[in-house]
Amino acid sequence: MLMGLLEPGPRSGYELRKALLGSPLKHFSESPGAIYPALRRLESNGWIAPLSEAPAGRGRRDLRLTPGGRAALVSWLRRPVTRDDVVWRLEELALRFAFLDSVLPPTAAPRFLEDFVKETAAYLEELRAFHRANAATMTLTGRLGFESGLALYAAKLGWGRRALRQLRRSPR
Amino acid sequence: MLMGLLEPGPRSGYELRKALLGSPLKHFSESPGAIYPALRRLESNGWIAPLSEAPAGRGRRDLRLTPGGRAALVSWLRRPVTRDDVVWRLEELALRFAFLDSVLPPTAAPRFLEDFVKETAAYLEELRAFHRANAATMTLTGRLGFESGLALYAAKLGWGRRALRQLRRSPR
DNA sequence: GTGCACATGTAATGTGTTACATGATTAT
DNA sequence: ATAATCATGTAACACATTACATGTGCAC
């Protein structure tokens, strides 16, 4: 995510943090204790680098994406959507999708959505089968709680289909 | 979650793990490296205890909820639903709700849902306001990705309202 | 020259992940 | 006896959280 935010141009860690604080969607950490160490790790991987080599001690430090970092970002965004992504990392998928068209060609987004819709539809069918088989044995709130998961995946599937239609109507 | 699963009666760590593996909804870890250390922590807190005091070396070890553990479980389930829960811990909320009626009196579930609906509706309105204000400046997939978050919270809100109506029709 | 926001960090702690190890029990 | 499955665990590593610390630059 940090590299995706650096893609349009260099920014400081503080600005990256402000960008996260500015979004009302809170699926990822925005604490300095997570962000600054993460930036150091990206730097020691050679994926980002300070804009000016001057040591500068403390104080503002602008960071840019290196060519290697861009390649790593691209390979993250290119990863096919798998069942495991849908089951375990649903919000990371939304994040990947959001960065898609600032880094990859416009064909990438519909391809992503096709995979997403396919995997989500299959998984939702599994959830419904489980519900049919086990609803009778569950407690009342246990069953309703499970149905909250069903509602979540049904909504994500609906979103994926709508988004796909929209992309096809306006392919830009 | 582990204490909630132990509430109906003593079970071994392996059985708890099988219960997690058996659910198609995967919002929480089911790895032995997470479960067994967590059980040890609960044990050292005095919240769970082995059923038989015999050392037993290796091999099956059945665990039961202690009175203190039950109290901790109850206080977790009784916690009011806050905005922060909705924003940061949506799936933990679904889990808490699922355990509600096996531990608390039947009035707890509608109260939970009233708070949930109120907080979720307010948050969803914030998300929509942000969308109105910023959709024009976003990239195409950036905007659609944000709308996937909108769809998620709209679905959870709809679920909460339906569940509340259902509880009121059949108060048991 | 002092307060305040800007900007970056660190230390302690807890815990999840991955991969591996090992003992116990049952069936063949 | 042996294999498979039951059952519990550990070690190395990475990382998030919380709370705190510290320097920088500007406005008044």
Side-chain angles (χ1 to χ4, degrees), chain A residues 77-88:
Chain A
L77 294 176
R78 265 199 207 292
R79 275 166 36 189
V81 175
T82 66
R83 188 196 124 98
D84 270 11
D85 288 329
V86 168
V87 173
W88 289 101

Side-chain angles (χ1 to χ4, degrees), chain B residues 19-112:
Chain B
L20 301 188
L21 291 169
S23 164
L25 241 23
K26 305 288 181 185
H27 296 300
F28 305 95
S29 171
E30 53 191 26
S31 99
I35 293 170
Y36 288 108
L39 290 172
R40 287 297 181 180
R41 286 195 298 275
L42 294 175
E43 204 178 332
S44 71
N45 270 3
W47 288 346
I48 65 176
L51 196 54
S52 73
E53 291 300 331
R58 280 246 180 173
R60 185 193 176 99
R61 231 169 64 95
D62 279 302
L63 299 160
R64 67 182 172 83
L65 203 55
T66 65
R70 195 166 207 287
L73 176 60
V74 164
S75 98
W76 177 57
L77 293 176
R78 265 199 208 295
R79 274 167 38 189
V81 175
T82 66
R83 187 195 126 98
D84 270 10
D85 288 328
V86 168
V87 173
W88 289 101
R89 290 175 294 272
L90 199 52
E91 295 316 308
E92 185 192 321
L93 279 184
L95 185 66
R96 270 163 62 185
F97 182 77
F99 282 125
L100 230 47
D101 70 0
S102 51
V103 180
L104 299 184
T107 52
R111 183 151 21 205
F112 179 104

Side-chain angles (χ1 to χ4, degrees), chain A residues 3 6 39-40 42-44 46-50 63-66 69:
Chain A
M3 290 199 294
L6 281 178
L39 289 172
R40 287 297 180 180
L42 293 175
E43 203 179 331
S44 72
W47 289 346
I48 65 176
L63 299 161
R64 67 181 173 83
L65 203 55
T66 65

